């Protein structure tokens, strides 16, 4: 019985060995083979043939350094690998290896020292995997990452450039508006002081001439002259009301609305809070004046409303201007983010002016009519008392 059992165990072991050999031989994705203690190839499997290109009978008996590049062979790197594996039990590496047809592939290599029960080195197992594709993928990923970083860099650079340009544009636009205000002031003064005075002198001359040349009817000339003088004065004040510099927003705006009332029958109520409205910097006063001027012009031109209401409220940190009319209201598409953006005119000009002062313009339907709300912050002002 015992002998039969022993035989069964031995057959089992044999079958296991055989199965194991078959298993290793049929593995296709790994080159698995045995090396002698000196590094000569002792076995070969399908994977080794597929990866390295040699048939078993071509390579068995050769030294495994034939898989290495000439440089590696000359520096005795293959032998070093065996030394390390023998000393540490195992050696792992990734690097270029050479196929039978002299092409290269990127290999992951594990060499394991095989020792008998007595500890004597009996050889090495070597498992090699072809990682060329993985390496190519990794390289491609790295390259793409690098490109991505470059593009990001370029994007950041363009954004910075854009911000700089925007700042420059804002600076220019501020300067332009200041120049425009100054120019209007100058033309207004010249119209009033030079041309106005000249006409007034001419009128006196005509009156004098009429006195001397009795009988001549100059009433038409005199009337036309008066109209010209009044027109020039009006133009000058519209361009830049001297009242604004002299006495501030309250009298200048009352004068403005009185003129509108006369010319267009528009009735506008104007209320200031506080009632004793203080003075502000030239920049803020001209901005508030221009905003009211533009809004009231719009009410006259576009709303169809007979009356309007203006409230100007000073709070510690801002001036809020509300202009309400009771006309047909603004078209819906102008309220959905499509406000005119052109600077220097109309709503676009007001928006730009306010932006430069750090404020904002809001336009809303008011059922009936339209409500414009402009906020002018006061943090940059200097009171003129
Ligand atoms: N009070 C208002 N009531 C109705 N529509 C208005 C009013 N104010 C402005 N709008 C509309 O908004 C448009 C843009 O106004 P604006 O920028 O001042 O330019 P402009 O007055 O030169 O047409 C006007 O053409 C008009 O259609
Ligand atoms: Mg307008």
């Amino acid at each position: 019985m015992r002998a039969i059992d022993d035989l069964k165990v031995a057959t089992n072991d044999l079958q296991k060995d055989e199965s194991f050999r078959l298993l290793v031989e049929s593995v296709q994705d790994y080159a698995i083979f045995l090396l002698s203690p000196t590094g000569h190839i002792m076995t070969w499997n399908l994977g080794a043939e597929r990866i390295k290109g040699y048939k078993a009978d071509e390579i068995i008996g050769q030294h495994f350094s034939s898989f290495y590049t000439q440089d590696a062979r000359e520096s005795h790197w293959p032998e070093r690998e065996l030394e390390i594996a023998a000393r540490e039990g195992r050696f792992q590496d990734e690097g270029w290896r050479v196929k039978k047809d002299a092409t290269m592939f990127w290999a992951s290599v594990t060499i394991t020292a095989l020792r008998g029960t007595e500890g004597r080195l009996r050889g090495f197992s070597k498992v090699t995997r072809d990682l060329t594709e993985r390496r190519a993928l990794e390289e491609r990923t790295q390259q793409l990452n690098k490109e991505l970083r470059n593009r990001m860099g370029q994007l950041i650079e363009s954004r910075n450039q854009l911000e700089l340009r925007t700042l420059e544009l804002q600076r220019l636009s501020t300067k332009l508006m200041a120049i425009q205000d100054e120019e209007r002031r100058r033309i207004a003064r010249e119209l009033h002081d030079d041309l106005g005075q000249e006409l007034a002198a001419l009128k006196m001359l005509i009156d004098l001439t009429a006195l001397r040349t009795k009988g001549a009817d100059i009433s038409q000339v005199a009337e036309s002259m008066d109209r010209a003088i009044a027109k020039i004065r009006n133009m000058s004040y519209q361009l830049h009301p001297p009242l604004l510099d002299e006495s501030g927003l309250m009298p200048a705006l009352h004068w403005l609305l009185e003129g509108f009332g006369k010319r267009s029958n528009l009735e506008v109520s104007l209320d200031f809070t506080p009632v004793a409205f203080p003075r502000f910097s030239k920049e803020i006063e001209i901005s508030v004046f221009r905003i009211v001027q533009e809004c009231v012009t719009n009410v006259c031109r576009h709303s169809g409303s007979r009356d309007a209401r203006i409230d100007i409220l000073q709070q510690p940190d801002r001036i809020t201007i509300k202009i309400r009319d009771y006309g047909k209201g603004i078209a819906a598409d102008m309220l959905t983010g499509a406000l005119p953006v052109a600077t220097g005119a109309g709503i676009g000009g007001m928006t730009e002016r306010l932006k430069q002062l750090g404020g904002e313009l809001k336009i809303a339907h008011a059922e009936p009519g339209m409500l414009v709300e402009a906020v002018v912050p006061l943090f940059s002002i200097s009171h003129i008392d």
Side-chain angles (χ1 to χ4, degrees):
M1 268 309 276
R2 175 108 197 244
I4 294 174
D5 283 348
D6 284 350
L7 195 64
K8 269 187 185 164
V9 171
T11 319
N12 263 344
D13 281 352
L14 265 179
Q15 272 173 347
K16 266 193 215 151
D17 276 355
E18 180 64 3
S19 311
F20 187 69
R21 191 178 59 77
L22 284 172
L23 173 77
V24 169
E25 275 180 6
S26 61
V27 167
Q28 293 205 19
D29 295 330
Y30 293 83
I32 303 173
F33 49 94
L34 292 174
L35 299 177
S36 71
T38 52
H40 289 87
I41 296 151
M42 291 161 63
T43 67
W44 200 239
N45 79 336
L46 245 170
E49 184 180 327
R50 201 179 63 81
I51 294 175
K52 304 196 189 251
Y54 297 98
K55 295 228 177 286
D57 57 358
E58 292 172 321
I59 195 73
I60 288 180
Q62 304 280 335
H63 195 261
F64 86 115
S65 57
S66 47
F67 307 139
Y68 288 72
T69 61
Q70 191 165 347
D71 277 356
R73 283 204 305 269
E74 279 169 8
S75 63
H76 299 290
W77 177 242
E79 290 81 358
R80 285 273 301 141
E81 287 188 349
L82 293 189
E83 272 169 43
I84 298 169
R87 194 173 62 238
E88 319 246 321
R90 194 176 142 84
F91 173 83
Q92 253 182 321
D93 186 27
E94 277 195 18
W96 290 111
R97 296 292 184 271
V98 185
K99 296 188 186 192
K100 181 187 170 190
D101 62 6
T103 56
M104 313 263 269
F105 70 101
W106 186 259
S108 153
V109 177
T110 306
I111 300 175
T112 311
L114 303 173
R115 291 186 185 278
T117 41
E118 73 288 7
R120 196 168 57 85
L121 183 70
R122 299 190 37 197
F124 300 92
S125 73
K126 188 166 187 249
V127 180
T128 304
R129 228 174 121 195
D130 182 352
L131 294 184
T132 312
E133 254 176 54
R134 201 187 77 184
R135 186 179 158 86
L137 268 175
E138 277 170 6
E139 278 179 349
R140 181 82 188 120
T141 310
Q142 274 174 11
Q143 193 190 342
L144 283 175
N145 273 331
K146 206 171 138 193
E147 270 175 37
L148 200 72
R149 275 196 301 274
N150 278 346
R151 294 274 166 89
M152 287 288 288
Q154 283 169 359
L155 256 166
I156 290 170
E157 177 62 17
S158 328
R159 204 192 54 195
N160 290 346
Q161 288 285 339
L162 207 74
E163 275 171 8
L164 272 180
R165 296 272 161 85
T166 312
L167 272 179
E168 207 170 312
L169 263 174
Q170 270 172 0
R171 209 171 42 79
L172 272 177
S173 160
T174 309
K175 208 169 157 189
L176 210 73
M177 251 179 213
I179 290 173
Q180 195 189 41
D181 284 338
E182 202 38 59
E183 188 66 359
R184 282 184 178 170
R185 215 183 233 115
R186 190 184 62 76
I187 297 173
R189 205 178 310 123
E190 271 178 21
L191 271 179
H192 182 267
D193 294 355
D194 295 355
L195 200 57
Q197 297 303 327
E198 202 68 44
L199 280 179
L202 196 62
K203 169 105 190 315
M204 273 158 63
L205 222 76
I206 289 171
D207 286 346
L208 213 67
T209 317
L211 265 179
R212 286 191 190 141
T213 50
K214 284 202 175 65
D217 181 11
I218 56 131
S219 59
Q220 278 187 339
V221 180
E223 274 166 27
S224 154
M225 209 68 212
D226 283 337
R227 281 200 301 275
I229 290 171
K231 261 190 193 155
I232 293 250
R233 180 183 295 137
N234 194 39
M235 262 172 81
S236 157
Y237 288 2
Q238 290 286 335
L239 266 173
H240 186 88
L243 263 178
L244 187 62
D245 294 342
E246 286 158 18
S247 316
L249 273 169
M250 217 160 43
L253 286 178
H254 276 297
W255 165 83
L256 177 80
L257 297 177
E258 210 178 293
F260 267 108
K262 274 190 208 142
R263 286 192 302 274
S264 65
N265 292 327
L266 183 74
E267 271 199 36
V268 186
S269 72
L270 173 64
D271 287 299
F272 287 91
T273 313
V275 182
F277 206 70
R279 300 276 331 244
F280 300 98
S281 69
K282 209 160 84 170
E283 195 188 17
I284 286 183
E285 286 189 335
I286 189 73
S287 298
V288 175
F289 184 86
R290 293 284 179 231
I291 287 164
V292 174
Q293 191 177 32
E294 175 59 34
C295 284
V296 179
T297 308
N298 277 352
V299 174
C300 282
R301 246 193 234 162
H302 309 297
S303 76
S305 179
R306 298 280 307 276
D307 44 4
R309 227 190 110 101
I310 303 176
D311 286 295
I312 301 183
L313 166 70
Q314 187 224 332
Q315 286 157 307
D317 60 338
R318 67 185 68 186
I319 300 175
T320 306
I321 308 146
K322 289 184 187 171
I323 296 124
R324 164 85 202 266
D325 68 57
Y326 305 90
K328 66 176 175 19
I330 194 161
D333 61 342
M334 297 210 97
L335 290 180
T336 52
L339 287 178
V341 285
T343 54
I347 295 170
M350 288 193 279
T351 309
E352 187 63 18
R353 234 180 225 286
L354 285 164
K355 209 165 82 187
Q356 283 163 19
L357 295 169
E360 62 170 339
L361 185 82
K362 283 190 235 161
I363 296 178
H365 280 293
E367 307 302 336
M370 183 170 123
L371 176 69
V372 180
E373 191 175 316
V375 175
V376 181
L378 292 177
F379 48 74
S380 61
I381 61 129
S382 51
H383 273 277
I384 308 164
D385 289 320

